[in-house]
């Protein structure tokens, strides 16, 4: 069994306490163990501040972009090994594993590309400058500077690779060193990624450190120039953002949390249309990819009353074809959920939703996975709950079952009704609306946009190219209002802003141009 070490202070440190055991959720076979007891967290923060930060700030934005490119390349060279670890420790099918591992490399490569365009400067201009005097001799310009601290990146169990890649890309491009802390249960992939990067010799010392397990007293060392970027449950997010030490030091906090994402079908979409085909394909993918353990997965489906029977029937038919089991078996299309706790939460959640409606397919009964030892593994049936009155219960709008589970409900077909129901989720990452009437789609934007970080408009024109509402792209915002955390990640260069300080410069435009480069004030 592998013993994971934490990479802090420039060395690999092994914890001394009772280890946590990481298992293969397909079989419950132990894979690795880890402890962080006795790991020098204060030293890790100091190392980042005193060694990693200065090294990164000495680099130009273009040089930091080259670092991201080298990281992406080094990880790509170990892709097969990382995919294998992702399958074994995450319960992922190969395709699920690619979504995570390739997503990490893709995010690093995308930010390498963006950063390359920023060239030789160490300071980024923020928008256009402004003349402060009639004759233009007194000039103002906002600039963005790296925070002089450390970014602690705490990730959820479902995306140990992508969560690290997308956060680290933004922080490192900004010039801020990172300490990444994956969820303990699926830490294997992040641990190996950091080991690969360390062995490749491409990281400036102190720029990337790893906590392979519990964060101990790490957060108590954070100060004014530091960033805490968290992804996980709303409860943990609330605890972290309201800690006295985080509040009293005004540590910058970004939260990416729970979300009850919605999919809405326009009334009257014909069953044989491309739009309906896309809608069904997306519902199926979002419910079953990574066994529904995606923060962006569809949890609530809204269709017109007269479409309920047809859509529920078609979706149940598709879900019946899913082979659930051990992801080592190539016939398996959906793996288990990642931990015993997730299995228990899924079963309890399905029962809570079922109490508000009827189980169209699936349910909370135990399931033996194909190719898994009898009674072993954390398997959940793909489950659709039918709720005939969307306003009869709050639970379908507020209880995120983090697995292959969704509810289907009627709405009156209008954007206003859809917006009112979607808002009952208290803020989500994404909503998708499927229909070919641009007025109907346009009507969705105001109401849904206020409560969702991203809107995905499915129609016949994009049926061949749209990739599903669950995919987060480096160039587009990832994050949502309200219970989704109110955070913002990615979105191109705006994702880098989290790790920067904005400063207003005032001075002679010629001097500013000389310092910043470019011809903004000419
Ligand atoms: P979680 O239990 O909140 O854990 C998330 C992370 O926080 C883990 O690394 C965990 O470490 C750490 N953590 C827990 N308690 C902590 C504490 N007291 N101090 C410091 N760190 C602490 O969530 P999860 O079960 O891993 O993830 C599932 C949730 O994440 C779902 O609700 C899902 O919606 C959400 N999610 C959101 C997004 C998004 O982008 N919005 C993406 C993915 C997942 P340990 O594992 O060591 O306890």
């Amino acid at each position: 069994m592998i013993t994971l070490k934490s990479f802090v202070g420039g060395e690999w440190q092994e914890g001394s306490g009772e280890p946590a055991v990481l298992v293969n959720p397909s079989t419950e076979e132990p894979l690795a163990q880890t402890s962080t007891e006795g790991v020098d967290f204060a030293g890790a923060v100091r190392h980042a501040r005193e060694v990693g930060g200065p090294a990164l700030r000495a680099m130009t934005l273009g040089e930091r972009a080259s670092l991201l490119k080298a990281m992406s390349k080094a990880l790509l060279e170990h892709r097969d090994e990382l995919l294998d670890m992702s399958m074994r420790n995450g319960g992922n099918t190969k395709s699920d594993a690619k979504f995570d591992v390739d997503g990490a490399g893709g995010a690093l490569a995308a930010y390498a590309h963006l950063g390359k365009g920023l060239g030789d400067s160490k300071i980024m201009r923020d928008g256009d400058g402004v003349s402060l005097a009639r004759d233009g001799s007194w000039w103002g310009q906002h600039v963005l500077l790296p925070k002089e601290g450390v970014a602690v990146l705490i990730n959820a169990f479902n995306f140990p690779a992508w969560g690290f890649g997308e956060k680290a890309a933004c922080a490192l491009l900004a010039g801020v060193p990172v300490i990444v802390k994956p969820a303990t249960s699926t830490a294997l992939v992040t641990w190996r990624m950091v080991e690969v990067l360390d062995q490749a010799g491409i990281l400036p010392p102190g720029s990337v450190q790893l906590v392979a397990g519990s964060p101990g007293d790490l957060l108590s060392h954070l100060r004014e120039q530091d960033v805490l970027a968290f992804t996980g449950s709303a409860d943990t997010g609330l605890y972290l953002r309201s800690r006295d030490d985080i509040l009293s030091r005004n540590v910058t906090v970004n939260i990416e949390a729970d979300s009850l994402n919605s999919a809405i079908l326009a009334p009257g979409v014909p069953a044989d249309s491309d739009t309906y085909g896309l809608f069904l394909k997306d519902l199926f993918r979002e419910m079953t990819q990574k066994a529904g353990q995606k923060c962006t997965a569809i949890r609530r489906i809204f269709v017109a009353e007269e479409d309920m029977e047809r859509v529920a029937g078609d979706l149940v038919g598709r879900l019946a074809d899913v082979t659930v089991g051990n992801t080592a078996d190539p016939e398996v299309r959906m793996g288990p959920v990642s931990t015993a706790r997730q299995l228990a939460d899924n079963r309890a959640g399905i029962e809570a939703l079922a109490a508000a409606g009827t189980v169209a397919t699936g349910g909370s009964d135990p399931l033996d996975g194909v190719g898994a030892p009898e009674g072993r593994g954390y398997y959940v049936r793909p489950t659709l709950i039918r709720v005939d009155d969307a306003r009869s219960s709050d639970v379908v709008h507020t209880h995120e079952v983090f697995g292959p589970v969704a509810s289907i409900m009627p709405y009156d077909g209008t954007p206003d009704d859809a917006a009112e129901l979607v808002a009952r989720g208290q803020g989500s990452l994404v909503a998708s609306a499927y229909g070919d009437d641009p007025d109907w789609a346009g009507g969705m934007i105001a109401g849904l946009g206020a409560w969702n970080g991203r809107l995905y408009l499915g129609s016949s024109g994009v049926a061949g190219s749209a990739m599903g509402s669950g995919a987060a792209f480096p160039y587009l915002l990832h994050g949502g209002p309200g219970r989704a955390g109110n955070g913002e990640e990615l979105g191109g260069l705006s994702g880098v802003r989290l790790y920067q300080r904005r400063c207003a410069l005032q001075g002679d435009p010629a001097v500013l141009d000389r310092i910043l480069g470019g011809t903004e004030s000419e």
Side-chain angles (χ1 to χ4, degrees):
M1 189 157 56
I2 306 171
T3 296
L4 308 188
K5 295 179 182 175
S6 294
F7 185 53
V8 297
E11 56 183 34
W12 289 91
Q13 294 185 15
E14 187 175 331
S16 56
E18 182 67 26
V21 176
L22 285 63
V23 303
N24 179 340
S26 288
T27 60
E28 300 182 42
E29 170 205 359
L31 296 174
Q33 59 181 6
T34 186
S35 163
T36 57
E37 205 173 306
V39 168
D40 181 6
F41 293 114
V45 170
R46 208 169 41 244
H47 188 58
R49 286 205 189 107
E50 294 176 5
V51 180
L56 288 168
R57 292 197 296 275
M59 297 167 81
T60 64
L61 283 148
E63 287 167 338
R64 290 178 216 148
S66 301
L67 172 65
L68 301 185
K69 193 170 172 196
M71 289 170 71
S72 173
K73 188 164 166 282
L75 295 174
L76 189 61
E77 284 166 10
H78 292 263
R79 179 174 182 259
D80 288 344
E81 183 192 357
L82 293 170
L83 291 178
D84 175 63
M85 284 183 166
S86 169
M87 289 173 73
R88 286 189 295 120
N89 188 204
N92 292 308
T93 62
K94 186 149 190 179
S95 144
D96 293 343
K98 287 181 192 167
F99 196 63
D100 187 27
V101 171
D102 292 345
L108 287 162
Y111 276 92
H113 181 71
L114 277 174
K116 195 172 163 195
L118 300 172
D120 295 338
S121 169
K122 292 177 186 165
I123 302 174
M124 270 168 66
R125 284 178 191 266
D126 183 29
D128 293 338
V130 59
S131 176
L132 302 173
R134 269 173 203 266
D135 64 359
S137 62
W138 178 230
W139 196 260
Q141 171 71 53
H142 285 115
V143 293
L144 297 166
L145 304 164
K147 288 191 170 155
E148 296 202 354
V150 57
V152 172
L153 317 178
I154 298 184
N155 284 319
F157 71 85
N158 56 336
F159 282 109
W162 176 77
F164 168 41
E166 54 104 19
K167 287 184 173 68
C170 292
L172 295 173
L173 184 58
V176 178
V178 305
I179 300 174
V180 59
K181 188 221 122 28
T184 304
S185 57
T186 58
L188 193 60
V189 175
T190 319
W191 165 79
R192 183 62 186 135
M193 287 168 83
V194 174
E195 198 179 54
V196 162
L197 296 173
D198 178 39
Q199 287 166 351
I202 51 180
L203 297 176
S207 57
V208 175
Q209 301 183 79
L210 166 77
V211 173
S214 164
D217 67 355
L218 173 66
L219 300 183
S220 68
H221 301 290
L222 298 187
R223 300 287 180 261
E224 294 79 3
Q225 292 278 325
D226 299 327
V227 179
L228 172 58
F230 167 79
T231 296
S233 64
D235 287 348
T236 310
L238 175 64
Y239 160 74
L240 293 176
R241 70 154 36 116
S242 44
R243 280 173 58 120
D244 284 348
D245 43 13
I246 297 288
L247 286 173
S248 64
R249 291 288 192 161
N250 272 326
V251 175
T252 301
V253 178
N254 192 73
I255 306 271
E256 300 288 338
D258 301 359
S259 178
L260 281 100
N261 311 296
S262 305
I264 306 129
L265 181 68
V269 173
D272 59 356
S273 65
D274 289 343
T275 303
Y276 187 66
L278 176 67
F279 175 63
L280 270 189
K281 187 167 97 176
D282 285 356
L283 293 182
F284 177 77
R285 185 201 297 105
E286 295 310 318
M287 285 184 70
T288 56
Q289 189 174 45
K290 287 185 69 58
Q293 298 170 107
K294 291 192 308 185
C295 49
T296 48
I298 293 166
R299 308 288 175 204
R300 296 180 291 159
I301 304 162
F302 296 102
V303 302
E305 182 91 53
E306 60 273 21
D307 293 329
M308 280 284 281
E309 207 61 41
R310 164 170 59 113
V311 176
D314 288 346
L315 187 53
V316 167
R318 293 221 178 180
L319 293 172
D321 291 340
V322 183
T323 311
V324 183
N326 184 345
T327 55
D329 182 333
E331 296 302 310
V332 163
R333 289 287 161 269
M334 192 182 94
V337 293
S338 294
T339 64
R341 197 191 97 192
Q342 287 300 320
L343 176 64
D345 286 355
N346 264 260
R347 287 201 183 136
I350 289 171
E351 279 163 24
L353 295 184
T358 51
V359 178
T361 188
S364 62
D365 287 346
L367 174 68
D368 277 333
V370 171
E374 198 182 333
R376 311 293 281 176
Y378 310 134
Y379 298 103
V380 177
R381 297 164 192 277
T383 297
L384 183 68
I385 307 287
R386 180 176 169 150
V387 178
D388 286 320
D389 179 358
R391 291 177 169 80
S392 62
S393 150
D394 271 348
V395 73
V396 284
H397 302 292
T398 56
H399 190 100
E400 179 201 48
V401 184
F402 205 58
V405 182
S407 307
I408 183 164
M409 297 166 258
Y411 79 115
D412 75 6
T414 65
D416 284 351
D417 196 43
E420 201 269 309
L421 288 167
V422 168
R424 290 182 177 224
Q426 302 166 357
S428 306
L429 293 170
V430 56
S432 42
Y434 298 79
D436 283 312
D437 174 359
D439 292 335
W440 180 86
M444 288 289 175
I445 291 174
L448 296 187
W451 287 98
N452 291 274
R454 183 159 54 85
L455 300 183
Y456 169 103
L457 302 178
S459 61
S460 54
V462 300
S465 53
M467 294 170 174
S469 55
F473 288 92
Y475 296 108
L476 290 178
L477 165 72
H478 175 65
R483 72 173 287 158
N486 229 2
E488 291 202 2
E489 284 187 343
L490 301 175
L493 287 178
S494 62
V496 180
R497 282 288 310 270
L498 180 64
Y499 306 95
Q500 295 173 313
R501 272 297 309 151
R502 192 176 194 215
C503 181
L505 296 184
Q506 293 173 292
D508 179 336
V511 173
L512 295 184
D513 272 351
R514 179 81 185 274
I515 297 166
L516 300 174
T519 55
E520 210 51 58
S521 54
E522 282 172 3

